[in-house]
Amino acid sequence: YLPQGSTNDFAASMKIPSDPAKAAEAIVRGETRQLDIGCFDERIFVYVASFGAFTRVSYAASQGMKNALGHFGYLVEGIRDLNTLRPYRVRITADGERLDGDYLFGAVANSTSIAGMMKLDDGRFELLLVPNPKNAAELQNLIWALLNQQYDAGGLIFRHVTALHVETDEDLPWSLDGEYAPSRPAVDIPNRQRALTMLL
């Protein structure tokens, strides 16, 4: 894996050098490691599948903004999206548990923090859902929990799961590892344990 682009959380989390030549040297010296992958019906993701608030930021920010500002480029684009913040009605089955509701954001990730260290070989996803707050106090609690990465607090829904089935009647675009995925009425998202072998 030779990292490219201005913001590459996968490479950073796997401690892969950002310089392609140094990354190539690490490959030559490295050992194989088997990593989990996620399937989004017929598509594959390694890092995260997400929907809702700020999801479009990962693929809507211009390349010039990313090059100039890195992570901050995404934040700038996200701030522009604040006035379009709205809940999505989603029906989710996660390892047999029903989690139907109105959500501002949802993520199916291989890391407990989407910009943090990954656990890519435990056979489970980390599912994070941000419910639509009913009042200002609930919104404040959600923001506090997200900022402090307290995923079991503030009304957030956080689960370790091996597979999900997601249904919606709305136009719900997704982001797969930062790339656009069009809305679909239903999608299956299983974890394929240790399906990818990489030199790291």
Side-chain angles (χ1 to χ4, degrees):
Y1 184 89
L2 300 177
Q4 298 292 305
S6 57
T7 303
N8 196 313
D9 287 325
F10 176 80
S13 295
M14 301 303 295
K15 301 188 183 300
I16 298 172
S18 59
D19 177 76
K22 292 182 179 178
E25 291 176 4
I27 289 171
V28 173
R29 296 192 308 269
E31 298 180 356
T32 58
R33 179 176 171 185
Q34 292 179 303
L35 307 178
D36 298 346
I37 60 171
C39 294
F40 186 87
D41 282 346
E42 73 284 355
R43 292 184 62 176
I44 290 172
F45 65 94
V46 176
Y47 184 32
V48 61
S50 61
F51 68 83
F54 306 136
T55 295
R56 66 176 291 276
V57 171
S58 59
Y59 52 80
S62 70
Q63 191 58 51
M65 182 179 291
K66 295 175 187 176
N67 291 342
L69 301 176
H71 283 281
F72 186 63
Y74 294 106
L75 178 60
V76 170
E77 191 69 28
I79 291 171
R80 293 177 181 173
D81 260 4
L82 283 176
N83 62 345
T84 65
L85 194 65
R86 71 174 187 85
Y88 294 87
R89 184 70 178 173
V90 183
R91 300 180 296 277
I92 299 173
T93 304
D95 286 354
E97 180 183 8
R98 291 301 296 257
L99 296 167
D100 301 352
D102 295 320
Y103 298 110
L104 296 177
F105 175 79
V108 184
N110 270 330
S111 67
T112 53
S113 172
I114 293 176
M117 289 303 296
M118 295 184 187
K119 297 180 296 182
L120 289 170
D121 56 3
D122 64 356
R124 297 191 297 173
F125 294 126
E126 282 69 47
L127 171 65
L128 174 65
L129 298 170
V130 180
N132 186 41
K134 296 181 177 63
N135 52 55
E138 286 189 8
L139 177 60
Q140 184 175 10
N141 289 338
L142 287 172
I143 293 173
W144 179 89
L146 287 169
L147 290 176
N148 291 279
Q149 298 184 18
Q150 298 295 316
Y151 300 128
D152 292 319
L156 298 174
I157 296 172
F158 184 69
R159 301 285 190 275
H160 297 279
V161 299
T162 60
L164 300 91
H165 178 77
V166 182
E167 297 180 3
T168 184
D169 298 322
E170 301 193 44
D171 181 17
L172 182 68
W174 289 74
S175 173
L176 305 181
D177 291 337
E179 300 296 327
Y180 171 76
S183 178
R184 56 188 70 189
V187 63
D188 289 302
I189 309 176
N191 184 293
R192 302 298 186 204
Q193 187 174 14
R194 300 187 177 185
L196 178 66
T197 302
M198 294 188 69
L199 280 166
L200 296 170

